[in-house]
Amino acid sequence: MARIEIVQSIDTSNFEAANAEELKKQIVHHFAEKGCPPTVEVISDTSVRIVFDTDALEKAETNFQKASACCSEGRFNAAKDLLLKAIKACPGFSEAHRLLGQILYQQGEIDKGMDEVLEALLIDPKNMWALIMMGNILANAKNNVEAADKYYKKVLDYYPDNAIALNNVAGTLIRKNDYDNAIRYMERALELDDSYTNSYYGIALAYYQKDELDRAFDYASRGAVKGVNRTEDPGVRQELLKLLLTIARDIVDSTDYESKVFDVAKQLESNFGVTIKFEKDDEQDTLAHLEFADFHHRKEHVVKYKSDGNYCHYMLHELMHLEMMLFAQKVGKLQAIGFNQKNFDEFQRDYKRHFDDVRKKLGSVKTEELAKHLFQGMSLQVMNAPLDLFVEQRIYDKPEFRPLQLHSLFAMESSNIDAVKQTANVSEFPQFVKDTNKLMNMLQSLMLRKLYGLDFVNYYKPSSNMLSKANEYFKVFENALSSFNAGDEYAVFEKIATSAGLIKYFTLSGVEKSEIKTEADRRQDEFNETHNPANANPIITMMMSSYMVGALEYFEGLLPEDIEKVAFECAMVGQNGISPAQKSGYKLNNVPGKDFGGYELLAYYYVSWAISHPEMLDKLKLPFDDAYALARKQFDAMRGR
């Protein structure tokens, strides 16, 4: 046995002992190292011989550390075996008894656990963790709040600035429904340790019981972001997150957020001198979208939204998009991000081999539709994901909307994870498209984690490389946010799209305020008004009918899939607006050699969709039904039908 022997002078005034034997016990406790008490021999009134067994000390410490590691991994039976070995080596190892007692208690052996914790306290009456554990057992398992309170207050006597002790005293007060005093204790605990999750949870729960939901949400959301897991209570963070979501739901259910959103819209109208209109559209593909007035040749900005449970968040989201665009426009940094037929052609070239294989299974028409659908979906997601980070930060900066934001983002996150899982094994989708979808969704997950501490990133099962990319892109956003100026969001989009190898699928151009309302735009506004069915000019109807007859003649000799290509290309061109007054200059790759004026292109636009996808005509919102009916009649007569 390895031994260390020390002869030590003792100031007996530091000890209160009635006899030599009691003095020995106090000296043993005073010099105990890691619970392995030395052998003590009193030599005289002023000196003692102290002998330490270093082998036992080392063995006990090693087994205790291994047991602690097993506990953190959930391997409690293995931890018990190691703790028993530690106690055998050093019977006076107080912390080993305490941890063994905690494991037994958690496994349902309450009385055995209590005995071990008491043993820990007999060895070391000031063992803080043992005092707290004893209080917890009495309060939770024995329902003896008064006795538990005595142990917690002993912790405060010995360790007056200990956050854990303060929080546990508060816990007993909560059980007595003394919420105000409990909150004071826990606020003091947070002053000492602002990462202590238990205190955030306790304060949030106390305010929730008092029906002060806004304060409850504030503490729960702060704790979700700042709080860290602790070995003494590893499950409390999960309980805090559950409470946070419950509070958010209760606030959303009891708050008229629609009125609040309308107030935001009125403030924007006042600040920027604009008009904002809301339209419910449950048929649209997206949850909501913004039609910026200047890009749609109208006087008012329009927010279209689906009316599900979180529609107020969707409306507010689009309003924040609008606010960012108006600020960028004001300083001359507004950008137009879009994609056209050339971008789509680039996409098809990149994945020609893939779509050639798909074409063998689905045929040309369905493959073209799929490619179009994937390109547009991916492009819209890549275009919106970086900008949405700034939008959600703007919403977060309005505290009254945070419960609504969390409630909605949590629902979206669940939906996004399910969507990624469903498409993971769809062979018709290029892997790059699936990876891009996952990566952009992960950006939203990182934002949810930043704002509210809910971490769903690993639910996407990303590779280490993809996770690294997501963090890299999110860092680009955070760097821009720290010194944000109006229009910076477009630079973030460009950096992310370039890094991801996607910038070639977009057109990005600056828009000067003076460029937005041109004479051609004014004429377009007049066109929209005069071509309304109620105000249709019969001369223009006849002219459009004539152009449509020409379109019908052209399409007569084409295969259905070729007509559909023209339809899709017209839709692409239409995204950037078609000026009816323009006499020439419009080109279509799928109608080679032809130079279109505005009216004639609109005729081809309408007719190509009327032939290939008549069920979609109402979505185009082209007011030419009468002209097409007349053209169809004339064309049929020409063919002797």
Side-chain angles (χ1 to χ4, degrees):
M1 179 180 72
R3 295 160 54 94
I4 297 178
E5 185 173 316
I6 304 171
V7 175
Q8 177 85 28
S9 295
I10 297 295
D11 182 357
T12 55
S13 65
N14 291 327
F15 300 92
E16 296 179 5
N19 51 53
E21 192 60 33
E22 191 167 327
L23 178 62
K24 278 176 60 176
K25 288 182 180 179
Q26 291 185 25
I27 292 171
V28 166
H29 181 267
H30 180 76
F31 284 100
E33 178 80 14
K34 295 294 185 185
C36 288
T39 300
V40 176
E41 177 187 354
V42 178
I43 299 173
S44 68
D45 290 342
T46 59
S47 63
V48 294
R49 179 181 290 109
I50 305 169
V51 180
F52 291 97
D53 182 350
T54 56
D55 284 347
L57 175 64
E58 184 177 348
K59 184 177 180 181
E61 175 64 17
T62 299
N63 283 318
F64 180 79
Q65 294 299 332
K66 289 180 179 178
S68 297
C70 286
C71 286
S72 66
E73 297 168 1
R75 296 165 51 222
F76 298 113
N77 288 330
K80 281 197 298 186
D81 292 340
L82 290 163
L83 289 169
L84 289 171
K85 290 178 181 178
I87 291 169
K88 185 177 180 181
C90 281
F93 198 159
S94 178
E95 262 297 270
H97 285 285
R98 191 274 308 171
L99 185 54
L100 179 59
Q102 183 171 338
I103 292 172
L104 289 167
Y105 167 68
Q106 289 175 337
Q107 290 184 330
E109 297 186 67
I110 295 169
D111 290 334
K112 287 185 178 180
M114 193 171 179
D115 289 343
E116 289 294 336
V117 177
L118 283 171
E119 183 66 24
L121 289 172
L122 286 172
I123 296 167
D124 181 3
K126 294 185 178 182
N127 183 327
M128 182 183 72
W129 297 113
L131 287 167
I132 291 172
M133 191 68 224
M134 196 65 193
N136 290 346
I137 293 174
L138 288 167
N140 299 323
K142 299 297 184 179
N143 199 28
N144 191 339
V145 176
E146 298 296 333
D149 198 33
K150 292 178 182 178
Y151 281 93
Y152 293 143
K153 286 182 176 176
K154 276 187 176 293
V155 180
L156 288 180
D157 289 341
Y158 298 141
Y159 312 99
D161 289 333
N162 185 275
I164 298 173
L166 288 162
N167 196 76
N168 279 277
V169 172
T172 64
L173 293 171
I174 286 178
R175 292 183 183 92
K176 297 176 183 178
N177 297 326
D178 186 357
Y179 299 120
D180 291 335
N181 282 320
I183 288 169
R184 278 196 286 273
Y185 270 104
M186 289 183 285
E187 285 178 336
R188 170 63 181 147
L190 287 179
E191 289 174 6
L192 296 168
D193 181 358
D194 69 353
S195 70
Y196 192 37
T197 308
N198 297 60
S199 292
Y200 287 111
Y201 175 70
I203 296 174
L205 184 61
Y207 277 124
Y208 185 66
Q209 296 293 346
K210 284 162 59 69
D211 202 30
E212 296 183 36
L213 296 183
D214 289 337
R215 286 188 172 185
F217 182 86
D218 178 54
Y219 275 96
S221 58
R222 283 163 53 195
V225 174
K226 287 187 172 184
V228 297
N229 279 323
R230 301 298 178 92
T231 54
E232 71 273 12
D233 198 352
V236 72
R237 177 172 167 75
Q238 196 62 28
E239 292 303 313
L240 174 66
L241 296 178
K242 290 178 184 177
L243 178 61
L244 174 61
L245 291 168
T246 298
I247 298 168
R249 182 201 62 209
D250 289 356
I251 293 175
V252 170
D253 289 345
S254 60
T255 304
D256 179 10
Y257 276 113
E258 186 176 278
S259 295
K260 292 179 179 291
V261 171
F262 289 153
D263 288 342
V264 173
K266 288 175 185 175
Q267 191 62 51
L268 285 178
E269 288 179 325
S270 174
N271 290 345
F272 292 95
V274 298
T275 302
I276 301 170
K277 181 179 177 183
F278 293 95
E279 291 182 5
K280 185 174 75 171
D281 184 358
D282 290 332
E283 299 301 317
Q284 65 185 8
D285 294 332
T286 57
L287 297 173
H289 75 275
L290 168 69
E291 294 182 354
F292 192 68
D294 308 271
F295 296 160
H296 288 264
H297 308 288
R298 60 163 69 101
K299 295 178 181 178
E300 71 278 348
H301 303 285
V302 178
V303 173
K304 295 189 175 183
Y305 62 93
K306 282 188 173 181
S307 57
D308 77 356
N310 293 307
Y311 74 98
C312 289
H313 173 241
Y314 311 152
M315 294 162 66
L316 182 61
H317 182 96
E318 299 308 322
L319 287 179
M320 295 299 95
H321 260 301
L322 175 60
E323 183 179 50
M324 288 170 63
M325 294 177 74
L326 291 171
F327 272 122
Q329 185 184 63
K330 189 174 182 179
V331 298
K333 292 186 177 180
L334 180 63
Q335 297 272 343
I337 306 174
F339 44 87
N340 55 32
Q341 183 65 35
K342 288 182 178 179
N343 301 130
F344 179 48
D345 290 342
E346 182 83 18
F347 174 77
Q348 286 187 303
R349 280 194 295 271
D350 287 344
Y351 299 101
K352 181 179 184 303
R353 182 177 297 177
H354 173 85
F355 287 117
D356 283 347
D357 291 338
V358 174
R359 193 171 286 107
K360 295 172 185 176
K361 292 192 293 183
L362 301 182
S364 296
V365 174
K366 288 187 177 180
T367 300
E368 185 79 12
E369 288 177 352
L370 176 65
K372 170 81 170 180
H373 171 76
L374 291 174
F375 172 70
Q376 289 188 333
M378 181 183 74
S379 299
L380 286 170
Q381 190 180 24
V382 174
M383 183 169 64
N384 286 318
L387 305 185
D388 285 348
L389 299 177
F390 291 98
V391 167
E392 293 302 334
Q393 182 65 52
R394 265 181 138 70
I395 294 175
Y396 183 81
D397 291 340
K398 299 178 183 296
E400 69 271 27
F401 287 107
R402 288 178 186 174
L404 173 67
Q405 181 185 40
L406 172 59
H407 190 264
S408 182
L409 290 179
F410 177 73
M412 287 184 196
E413 189 69 20
S414 302
S415 177
N416 290 342
I417 291 168
D418 288 341
V420 168
K421 287 179 180 177
Q422 289 171 10
T423 59
N425 297 317
V426 179
S427 61
E428 288 80 8
F429 294 3
Q431 188 60 45
F432 180 77
V433 173
K434 291 188 282 189
D435 288 347
T436 299
N437 171 247
K438 182 187 291 190
L439 187 57
M440 294 301 116
N441 280 327
M442 286 169 62
L443 286 182
Q444 308 310 306
S445 293
L446 291 171
M447 191 63 179
L448 184 59
R449 184 173 74 183
K450 174 182 184 289
L451 298 181
Y452 296 106
L454 276 73
D455 190 354
F456 291 97
V457 174
N458 288 329
Y459 282 78
Y460 290 101
K461 297 181 179 178
S463 64
S464 58
N465 182 53
M466 181 176 290
L467 183 59
S468 176
K469 281 185 179 180
N471 286 318
E472 173 193 335
Y473 298 163
F474 195 75
K475 190 66 176 176
V476 172
F477 155 71
E478 290 188 306
N479 289 340
L481 188 65
S482 64
S483 57
F484 183 80
N485 293 306
D488 287 355
E489 64 270 24
Y490 301 112
V492 171
F493 157 77
E494 194 166 9
K495 285 180 182 178
I496 291 175
T498 300
S499 179
L502 295 162
I503 197 66
K504 59 186 173 181
Y505 300 141
F506 295 93
T507 59
L508 183 67
S509 57
V511 180
E512 295 294 336
K513 186 172 178 63
S514 60
E515 294 176 349
I516 290 173
K517 282 294 180 183
T518 62
E519 181 63 21
D521 295 328
R522 186 186 63 77
R523 289 196 297 268
Q524 181 71 63
D525 290 339
E526 292 176 358
F527 172 83
N528 291 338
E529 181 66 24
T530 58
H531 288 76
N532 184 293
N535 305 318
N537 185 328
I539 295 175
I540 293 178
T541 299
M542 291 295 293
M543 178 186 68
M544 284 300 296
S545 175
S546 176
Y547 281 133
M548 287 179 171
V549 169
L552 287 167
E553 290 177 337
Y554 179 80
F555 292 136
E556 186 176 25
L558 297 184
L559 295 171
E561 55 264 35
D562 293 328
I563 300 174
E564 190 175 48
K565 287 181 180 179
V566 176
F568 287 154
E569 186 175 4
C570 287
M572 288 282 196
V573 175
Q575 287 182 346
N576 295 321
I578 299 172
S579 173
Q582 186 169 320
K583 301 300 183 184
S584 63
Y586 287 111
K587 306 286 186 181
L588 294 176
N589 293 333
N590 288 293
V591 186
K594 186 165 181 62
D595 182 65
F596 289 94
Y599 276 113
E600 189 173 15
L601 181 58
L602 288 168
Y604 272 67
Y605 190 177
Y606 188 101
V607 173
S608 61
W609 281 89
I611 295 172
S612 61
H613 289 285
E615 75 282 359
M616 298 292 292
L617 274 178
D618 60 327
K619 301 289 186 184
L620 302 181
K621 297 184 179 179
L622 294 174
F624 300 128
D625 293 355
D626 292 346
Y628 182 65
L630 187 61
R632 188 82 247 185
K633 184 177 180 180
Q634 183 179 349
F635 181 74
D636 288 345
M638 290 166 57
R639 295 297 183 266
R641 298 169 188 153

